[in-house]
Coordinates of all heavy atoms in Angstrom, one line a residue:
M1 N 63.5 -5.7 61.9 CA 64.1 -4.9 60.9 C 63.5 -3.4 61.0 O 62.3 -3.4 61.1 CB 63.9 -5.4 59.5 CG 64.5 -4.5 58.4 SD 64.4 -5.2 56.8 CE 62.8 -4.6 56.3
D2 N 64.3 -2.4 60.9 CA 63.8 -1.0 61.0 C 63.4 -0.6 59.6 O 64.2 -0.6 58.7 CB 64.8 -0.1 61.6 CG 64.3 1.2 61.9 OD1 63.2 1.6 61.5 OD2 65.0 2.0 62.6
E3 N 62.1 -0.2 59.4 CA 61.6 0.2 58.1 C 61.8 1.6 57.8 O 61.5 2.1 56.7 CB 60.1 -0.1 58.0 CG 59.8 -1.6 58.1 CD 58.3 -1.8 58.1 OE1 57.7 -1.7 59.2 OE2 57.8 -2.2 57.0
R4 N 62.4 2.4 58.8 CA 62.5 3.8 58.6 C 63.7 4.1 57.6 O 64.6 3.3 57.5 CB 63.0 4.5 59.9 CG 61.8 4.6 60.9 CD 62.3 5.2 62.2 NE 63.4 4.5 62.7 CZ 64.2 4.8 63.8 NH1 63.9 6.0 64.3 NH2 65.1 4.1 64.3
V5 N 63.6 5.1 56.8 CA 64.6 5.6 56.0 C 64.9 7.1 56.3 O 64.1 7.7 57.0 CB 64.3 5.5 54.5 CG1 64.0 4.0 54.1 CG2 63.1 6.3 54.1
I6 N 66.1 7.5 56.0 CA 66.5 8.9 56.3 C 65.7 9.8 55.3 O 65.9 9.7 54.1 CB 68.0 9.1 56.2 CG1 68.7 8.2 57.2 CG2 68.4 10.5 56.3 CD1 70.2 8.1 57.1
G7 N 64.9 10.7 55.8 CA 64.2 11.6 55.0 C 64.9 12.9 54.7 O 64.5 13.6 53.8
G8 N 66.0 13.1 55.4 CA 66.8 14.3 55.2 C 68.0 14.3 56.2 O 67.9 13.5 57.1
R9 N 68.9 15.1 56.0 CA 70.1 15.2 56.8 C 70.2 16.4 57.6 O 71.3 16.7 58.2 CB 71.3 15.0 56.0 CG 71.3 13.5 55.4 CD 72.7 13.2 54.8 NE 72.7 11.8 54.6 CZ 73.3 10.9 55.4 NH1 73.9 11.3 56.5 NH2 73.3 9.6 55.1
A10 N 69.1 17.3 57.6 CA 69.1 18.5 58.4 C 67.7 18.7 58.9 O 66.7 18.4 58.2 CB 69.6 19.7 57.6
P11 N 67.5 19.3 60.1 CA 66.1 19.6 60.5 C 65.5 20.7 59.7 O 66.2 21.5 59.0 CB 66.3 20.1 61.9 CG 67.7 20.6 62.0 CD 68.5 19.8 61.0
L12 N 64.2 20.7 59.6 CA 63.4 21.7 58.9 C 62.7 22.7 59.8 O 62.0 22.3 60.7 CB 62.4 21.1 58.0 CG 63.0 20.3 56.8 CD1 61.9 19.7 56.0 CD2 63.7 21.3 55.9
P13 N 63.0 24.0 59.7 CA 62.4 25.0 60.6 C 60.9 25.2 60.1 O 60.7 25.3 58.9 CB 63.3 26.2 60.4 CG 63.8 26.1 59.0 CD 64.0 24.6 58.8
V14 N 60.0 25.2 61.0 CA 58.6 25.5 60.7 C 58.0 26.3 61.8 O 58.3 26.1 63.0 CB 57.8 24.1 60.7 CG1 56.3 24.3 60.4 CG2 58.4 23.2 59.7
K15 N 57.3 27.3 61.4 CA 56.5 28.1 62.4 C 55.2 27.4 62.6 O 54.4 27.3 61.7 CB 56.3 29.5 61.9 CG 55.6 30.4 62.9 CD 55.5 31.8 62.6 CE 54.8 32.5 63.8 NZ 54.6 33.9 63.6
V16 N 55.0 27.0 63.9 CA 53.8 26.3 64.2 C 52.9 27.2 64.9 O 53.3 28.2 65.5 CB 54.1 25.0 65.0 CG1 54.9 24.0 64.2 CG2 54.8 25.4 66.3
V17 N 51.6 26.8 65.0 CA 50.5 27.6 65.6 C 49.9 26.9 66.8 O 49.6 25.7 66.6 CB 49.4 27.9 64.5 CG1 48.3 28.8 65.2 CG2 50.0 28.7 63.4
A18 N 49.9 27.6 67.9 CA 49.4 27.0 69.1 C 48.0 26.3 68.9 O 47.1 26.8 68.3 CB 49.2 28.0 70.2
G19 N 48.0 25.0 69.3 CA 46.7 24.2 69.2 C 46.6 23.5 67.9 O 45.7 22.6 67.8
E20 N 47.4 23.8 66.9 CA 47.2 23.1 65.6 C 47.9 21.7 65.7 O 48.9 21.5 66.4 CB 47.9 23.9 64.5 CG 47.3 25.2 64.2 CD 46.0 25.1 63.3 OE1 46.0 24.2 62.4 OE2 45.0 25.8 63.6
T21 N 47.3 20.8 65.0 CA 47.8 19.5 64.9 C 48.7 19.3 63.7 O 48.3 19.7 62.6 CB 46.7 18.4 64.8 OG1 45.9 18.6 66.0 CG2 47.2 17.0 64.8
Y22 N 49.9 18.7 63.9 CA 50.8 18.4 62.7 C 51.0 16.9 62.8 O 51.3 16.3 63.8 CB 52.1 19.2 63.0 CG 51.9 20.7 63.0 CD1 51.5 21.3 64.1 CD2 52.0 21.4 61.8 CE1 51.3 22.7 64.1 CE2 51.8 22.8 61.8 CZ 51.4 23.4 63.0 OH 51.2 24.7 63.0
W23 N 51.1 16.3 61.6 CA 51.3 14.8 61.4 C 52.7 14.7 60.9 O 53.0 14.9 59.7 CB 50.3 14.2 60.5 CG 49.0 14.1 61.3 CD1 47.9 15.0 61.2 CD2 48.6 13.1 62.1 NE1 46.9 14.6 62.0 CE2 47.3 13.5 62.6 CE3 49.1 11.9 62.6 CZ2 46.6 12.7 63.5 CZ3 48.4 11.2 63.5 CH2 47.2 11.6 64.0
W24 N 53.7 14.3 61.8 CA 55.1 14.1 61.4 C 55.4 12.8 60.7 O 54.9 11.7 61.3 CB 56.0 14.3 62.7 CG 57.4 14.1 62.5 CD1 58.3 14.9 61.9 CD2 58.2 13.0 63.0 NE1 59.6 14.4 61.9 CE2 59.5 13.3 62.6 CE3 57.9 11.9 63.8 CZ2 60.6 12.4 63.0 CZ3 58.9 11.0 64.1 CH2 60.2 11.3 63.7
C25 N 56.0 12.8 59.7 CA 56.5 11.5 59.0 C 57.5 10.9 59.8 O 58.5 11.4 60.1 CB 57.0 11.9 57.6 SG 57.9 10.5 56.8
A26 N 57.2 9.7 60.3 CA 58.1 8.8 61.1 C 58.9 7.8 60.2 O 59.8 7.3 60.7 CB 57.4 8.2 62.2
C27 N 58.4 7.6 59.0 CA 59.0 6.5 58.2 C 60.1 7.1 57.3 O 61.0 6.3 56.9 CB 58.0 5.8 57.3 SG 57.3 6.8 56.0
G28 N 60.1 8.3 57.0 CA 61.1 8.9 56.2 C 60.8 8.9 54.7 O 61.5 9.4 53.9
R29 N 59.7 8.3 54.3 CA 59.4 8.1 52.9 C 58.6 9.3 52.3 O 58.5 9.3 51.1 CB 58.6 6.8 52.7 CG 59.5 5.6 52.9 CD 58.6 4.3 52.9 NE 59.4 3.1 52.9 CZ 60.1 2.6 53.9 NH1 60.2 3.2 55.0 NH2 60.8 1.5 53.7
S30 N 58.0 10.1 53.1 CA 57.2 11.2 52.6 C 57.9 12.1 51.7 O 59.1 12.5 52.0 CB 56.6 12.0 53.8 OG 55.9 13.1 53.4
K31 N 57.3 12.6 50.7 CA 57.9 13.5 49.7 C 57.6 15.0 50.2 O 58.1 15.9 49.6 CB 57.3 13.4 48.3 CG 57.5 12.0 47.7 CD 59.0 11.7 47.5 CE 59.1 10.4 46.8 NZ 60.1 9.5 47.4
T32 N 56.9 15.1 51.3 CA 56.5 16.4 51.9 C 57.1 16.5 53.2 O 56.5 17.0 54.2 CB 55.0 16.6 51.9 OG1 54.4 15.6 52.7 CG2 54.3 16.6 50.6
Q33 N 58.3 16.1 53.4 CA 59.1 16.2 54.7 C 59.0 17.6 55.3 O 59.1 18.6 54.6 CB 60.5 15.9 54.5 CG 60.8 14.4 54.2 CD 60.5 13.5 55.3 OE1 60.5 13.8 56.5 NE2 60.0 12.3 55.0
P34 N 58.8 17.7 56.6 CA 58.8 16.7 57.6 C 57.4 16.0 57.8 O 57.3 15.2 58.8 CB 59.2 17.4 58.8 CG 58.6 18.7 58.7 CD 58.7 19.0 57.2
F35 N 56.5 16.3 57.0 CA 55.1 15.9 57.3 C 54.7 14.7 56.5 O 55.2 14.5 55.4 CB 54.1 17.1 57.1 CG 54.4 18.3 57.9 CD1 54.9 19.5 57.4 CD2 54.4 18.2 59.3 CE1 55.3 20.5 58.1 CE2 54.8 19.3 60.1 CZ 55.2 20.4 59.5
C36 N 53.7 14.0 56.9 CA 53.2 12.8 56.3 C 52.4 13.1 55.0 O 51.6 14.0 55.0 CB 52.3 12.0 57.3 SG 51.6 10.6 56.7
D37 N 52.7 12.2 54.0 CA 51.9 12.3 52.8 C 51.3 10.9 52.5 O 50.8 10.7 51.4 CB 52.8 12.7 51.6 CG 53.9 11.7 51.2 OD1 53.9 10.6 51.8 OD2 54.6 12.0 50.3
G38 N 51.3 10.0 53.5 CA 50.7 8.6 53.3 C 51.6 7.6 52.8 O 51.2 6.5 52.7
S39 N 52.9 8.0 52.5 CA 53.8 7.0 52.0 C 54.1 5.8 53.0 O 54.6 4.8 52.6 CB 55.2 7.7 51.6 OG 55.0 8.6 50.6
H40 N 53.8 6.0 54.2 CA 54.1 5.0 55.2 C 53.2 3.7 55.1 O 53.4 2.7 55.7 CB 53.8 5.5 56.7 CG 52.4 5.9 56.9 ND1 51.9 7.1 56.5 CD2 51.4 5.2 57.5 CE1 50.6 7.1 56.8 NE2 50.3 6.0 57.4
E41 N 52.2 3.8 54.2 CA 51.2 2.7 54.0 C 51.8 1.4 53.6 O 51.3 0.4 53.7 CB 50.1 3.2 53.1 CG 49.2 4.2 53.9 CD 48.0 4.7 53.0 OE1 47.8 4.2 51.9 OE2 47.4 5.7 53.5
V42 N 53.0 1.5 53.0 CA 53.8 0.3 52.7 C 54.6 -0.3 53.8 O 55.3 -1.3 53.6 CB 54.6 0.5 51.4 CG1 53.8 0.9 50.2 CG2 55.7 1.5 51.7
T43 N 54.5 0.3 55.0 CA 55.3 0.0 56.1 C 54.3 -0.3 57.3 O 53.1 -0.1 57.2 CB 56.3 1.0 56.5 OG1 55.6 2.1 57.2 CG2 57.1 1.6 55.4
S44 N 54.9 -0.7 58.4 CA 54.1 -0.9 59.7 C 54.3 0.4 60.5 O 53.8 0.4 61.6 CB 54.6 -2.1 60.4 OG 55.9 -1.9 60.8
I45 N 54.9 1.4 60.0 CA 55.2 2.7 60.8 C 54.0 3.6 60.6 O 53.5 3.8 59.5 CB 56.5 3.4 60.3 CG1 57.7 2.4 60.5 CG2 56.7 4.7 61.0 CD1 58.9 2.8 59.8
E46 N 53.6 4.3 61.7 CA 52.5 5.3 61.6 C 53.1 6.7 61.8 O 54.1 6.8 62.5 CB 51.5 5.0 62.7 CG 50.8 3.6 62.5 CD 49.9 3.7 61.3 OE1 49.2 4.8 61.0 OE2 49.8 2.7 60.6
P47 N 52.4 7.7 61.3 CA 52.9 9.1 61.5 C 52.7 9.4 63.0 O 51.8 8.8 63.6 CB 52.1 9.9 60.6 CG 50.9 9.1 60.3 CD 51.3 7.6 60.4
V48 N 53.4 10.4 63.4 CA 53.2 10.9 64.8 C 52.4 12.2 64.9 O 52.7 13.2 64.2 CB 54.6 11.2 65.4 CG1 54.5 11.8 66.8 CG2 55.4 9.9 65.5
E49 N 51.3 12.2 65.7 CA 50.5 13.3 65.8 C 51.1 14.2 66.9 O 51.5 13.8 68.0 CB 49.1 12.9 66.3 CG 48.2 14.1 66.6 CD 46.8 13.7 67.0 OE1 46.7 12.5 67.5 OE2 45.9 14.5 67.1
W50 N 51.3 15.5 66.5 CA 51.9 16.5 67.5 C 51.1 17.7 67.5 O 50.7 18.3 66.4 CB 53.3 16.7 67.0 CG 54.1 17.7 67.9 CD1 54.6 17.3 69.2 CD2 54.4 19.0 67.7 NE1 55.2 18.4 69.7 CE2 55.1 19.4 68.9 CE3 54.2 19.9 66.7 CZ2 55.7 20.7 69.0 CZ3 54.7 21.2 66.9 CH2 55.4 21.6 68.0
V51 N 50.7 18.2 68.6 CA 49.9 19.4 68.8 C 50.8 20.5 69.3 O 51.5 20.3 70.4 CB 48.7 19.2 69.7 CG1 47.9 20.5 69.8 CG2 47.8 18.1 69.2
A52 N 50.9 21.6 68.6 CA 51.9 22.7 69.0 C 51.4 23.3 70.3 O 50.2 23.7 70.4 CB 51.9 23.8 67.9
P53 N 52.3 23.3 71.3 CA 51.9 23.9 72.6 C 51.8 25.5 72.6 O 51.2 26.0 73.4 CB 53.0 23.5 73.6 CG 54.2 23.2 72.6 CD 53.7 22.8 71.3
S54 N 52.5 26.1 71.6 CA 52.5 27.5 71.5 C 52.9 27.9 70.1 O 53.4 27.1 69.3 CB 53.5 28.2 72.5 OG 54.8 27.7 72.3
T55 N 52.6 29.2 69.7 CA 53.0 29.6 68.4 C 54.5 30.0 68.4 O 54.8 30.9 69.2 CB 52.1 30.8 68.0 OG1 50.8 30.4 67.9 CG2 52.5 31.4 66.6
K56 N 55.3 29.3 67.6 CA 56.8 29.6 67.6 C 57.4 28.8 66.5 O 56.8 28.1 65.8 CB 57.3 29.2 69.0 CG 57.2 27.7 69.3 CD 57.8 27.3 70.6 CE 57.6 25.8 70.9 NZ 58.1 25.5 72.2
G57 N 58.7 29.1 66.3 CA 59.4 28.3 65.4 C 60.0 27.1 66.0 O 60.5 27.2 67.2
V58 N 59.9 26.0 65.4 CA 60.5 24.7 65.9 C 61.3 24.0 64.7 O 61.1 24.4 63.5 CB 59.5 23.7 66.4 CG1 58.7 24.4 67.6 CG2 58.5 23.3 65.4
F59 N 62.1 23.1 65.1 CA 62.9 22.3 64.1 C 62.3 20.9 64.1 O 62.6 20.2 65.1 CB 64.3 22.4 64.3 CG 64.9 23.7 64.0 CD1 65.0 24.7 65.0 CD2 65.4 24.0 62.8 CE1 65.6 26.0 64.7 CE2 66.0 25.2 62.5 CZ 66.1 26.2 63.4
F60 N 61.7 20.5 63.0 CA 61.2 19.1 62.8 C 62.4 18.2 62.3 O 63.1 18.7 61.4 CB 60.1 19.0 61.9 CG 58.7 19.5 62.5 CD1 58.3 20.8 62.4 CD2 58.0 18.5 63.2 CE1 57.1 21.2 62.9 CE2 56.8 18.9 63.8 CZ 56.3 20.2 63.6
C61 N 62.5 17.0 62.9 CA 63.5 16.1 62.5 C 63.1 15.5 61.1 O 62.0 15.2 60.8 CB 63.5 14.9 63.5 SG 64.5 13.5 63.0
T62 N 64.1 15.4 60.2 CA 63.9 14.7 59.0 C 64.8 13.4 58.9 O 64.5 12.6 58.0 CB 64.3 15.6 57.8 OG1 65.7 15.9 57.8 CG2 63.5 16.8 57.7
C63 N 65.7 13.2 59.8 CA 66.6 12.0 59.7 C 65.9 10.8 60.3 O 66.3 9.7 60.1 CB 67.9 12.2 60.3 SG 68.0 12.2 62.1
K64 N 64.9 11.0 61.1 CA 64.0 10.0 61.8 C 64.8 9.2 62.9 O 64.4 8.2 63.3 CB 63.5 9.0 60.8 CG 62.8 9.7 59.6 CD 61.8 10.8 59.9 CE 61.3 11.6 58.8 NZ 60.6 12.7 59.1
Q65 N 65.9 9.8 63.3 CA 66.7 9.1 64.4 C 66.5 9.8 65.7 O 67.0 9.4 66.8 CB 68.2 9.2 64.0 CG 68.5 8.6 62.7 CD 68.0 7.2 62.4 OE1 68.3 6.3 63.2 NE2 67.2 7.0 61.4
T66 N 65.7 10.9 65.8 CA 65.6 11.7 67.0 C 65.0 10.9 68.2 O 64.2 10.0 67.9 CB 64.7 12.9 66.8 OG1 64.6 13.7 68.0 CG2 63.3 12.6 66.4
S67 N 65.4 11.2 69.4 CA 64.9 10.6 70.6 C 63.7 11.4 71.1 O 63.1 11.1 72.1 CB 65.9 10.3 71.7 OG 66.5 11.6 72.0
T68 N 63.4 12.6 70.4 CA 62.4 13.5 70.9 C 61.5 13.8 69.7 O 61.2 15.0 69.4 CB 63.0 14.8 71.4 OG1 63.8 15.4 70.4 CG2 63.9 14.6 72.6
P69 N 60.9 12.7 69.1 CA 60.0 12.9 68.0 C 58.8 13.8 68.3 O 58.3 13.7 69.4 CB 59.6 11.6 67.6 CG 59.8 10.7 68.7 CD 60.9 11.3 69.5
P70 N 58.5 14.7 67.4 CA 58.9 14.9 66.1 C 60.1 15.9 65.9 O 60.5 16.3 64.8 CB 57.7 15.4 65.3 CG 57.0 16.3 66.4 CD 57.3 15.5 67.7
L71 N 60.6 16.4 67.0 CA 61.5 17.5 67.0 C 63.0 17.0 67.0 O 63.2 16.0 67.5 CB 61.3 18.5 68.2 CG 59.8 19.0 68.3 CD1 59.7 19.9 69.6 CD2 59.4 19.8 67.1
C72 N 63.7 17.8 66.3 CA 65.2 17.5 66.2 C 65.9 17.5 67.5 O 65.6 18.4 68.3 CB 65.8 18.5 65.2 SG 67.6 18.3 65.1
D73 N 66.8 16.5 67.7 CA 67.6 16.5 68.9 C 69.1 16.5 68.5 O 69.9 16.2 69.3 CB 67.3 15.3 69.8 CG 67.7 14.0 69.2 OD1 68.2 13.9 68.0 OD2 67.5 12.9 69.9
G74 N 69.4 16.7 67.3 CA 70.8 16.7 66.8 C 71.3 15.4 66.3 O 72.4 15.3 65.9
S75 N 70.5 14.4 66.3 CA 70.9 13.0 65.9 C 71.4 13.0 64.4 O 72.3 12.2 64.1 CB 69.7 12.0 66.0 OG 69.3 11.8 67.3
H76 N 71.0 13.9 63.6 CA 71.5 14.0 62.2 C 73.0 14.2 62.2 O 73.6 13.8 61.2 CB 70.8 15.0 61.4 CG 70.9 16.4 62.0 ND1 70.2 16.9 63.0 CD2 71.8 17.4 61.6 CE1 70.6 18.2 63.2 NE2 71.5 18.5 62.4
N77 N 73.5 14.8 63.3 CA 75.0 15.0 63.3 C 75.8 13.7 63.5 O 77.0 13.7 63.2 CB 75.3 15.9 64.4 CG 74.9 17.3 64.2 OD1 74.9 17.8 63.1 ND2 74.2 17.9 65.2
E78 N 75.1 12.6 63.8 CA 75.8 11.3 64.1 C 75.6 10.3 62.9 O 76.0 9.2 63.0 CB 75.2 10.7 65.3 CG 75.4 11.5 66.6 CD 76.8 11.9 66.9 OE1 77.7 11.0 66.8 OE2 77.1 13.1 67.2
L79 N 74.9 10.8 61.8 CA 74.6 9.9 60.7 C 75.9 9.5 60.0 O 76.8 10.4 59.9 CB 73.6 10.5 59.7 CG 72.2 10.7 60.2 CD1 71.4 11.5 59.1 CD2 71.5 9.4 60.5
P80 N 76.0 8.3 59.5 CA 77.2 8.0 58.7 C 77.2 8.8 57.4 O 76.1 9.1 56.9 CB 77.1 6.5 58.4 CG 75.7 6.1 58.7 CD 75.2 7.2 59.7
A81 N 78.3 9.0 56.8 CA 78.5 9.8 55.6 C 77.8 9.1 54.4 O 77.6 8.0 54.4 CB 79.9 10.1 55.3

């Protein structure tokens, strides 16, 4: 059984800083989407550590269906209504 839930239906733009570590919520339960707030502790899902390769704007996935975690790949466009 997949314990993930949809954390949102659109990606969130974030300006990231080169070399900084970001902890992406993989379970969808975090109240601080797209980042982890510890809500995964009731699941077997762990947050994803991501280090920004450069300073730039990126789109973090909130639907948790992306094939390129933690970044959006457009999977939210395929979610059922």
Side-chain angles (χ1 to χ4, degrees):
M1 179 175 91
D2 192 347
E3 299 175 277
R4 291 179 299 173
V5 297
I6 296 170
R9 293 189 166 265
L12 289 176
V14 177
K15 183 171 182 181
V16 297
V17 177
E20 291 283 320
T21 299
Y22 298 85
W23 289 94
W24 177 70
C25 167
C27 72
R29 289 170 168 75
S30 176
K31 302 295 184 229
T32 59
Q33 291 294 329
F35 303 114
C36 178
D37 69 0
S39 295
H40 66 276
E41 291 179 5
V42 298
T43 75
S44 61
I45 300 169
E46 293 294 323
V48 173
E49 179 181 14
W50 184 76
V51 178
S54 59
T55 298
K56 63 182 177 180
V58 298
F59 287 90
F60 281 94
C61 172
T62 61
C63 76
K64 312 310 172 187
Q65 309 302 308
T66 184
S67 62
T68 58
L71 304 179
C72 176
D73 70 356
S75 292
H76 60 279
N77 292 316
E78 304 301 319
L79 293 174

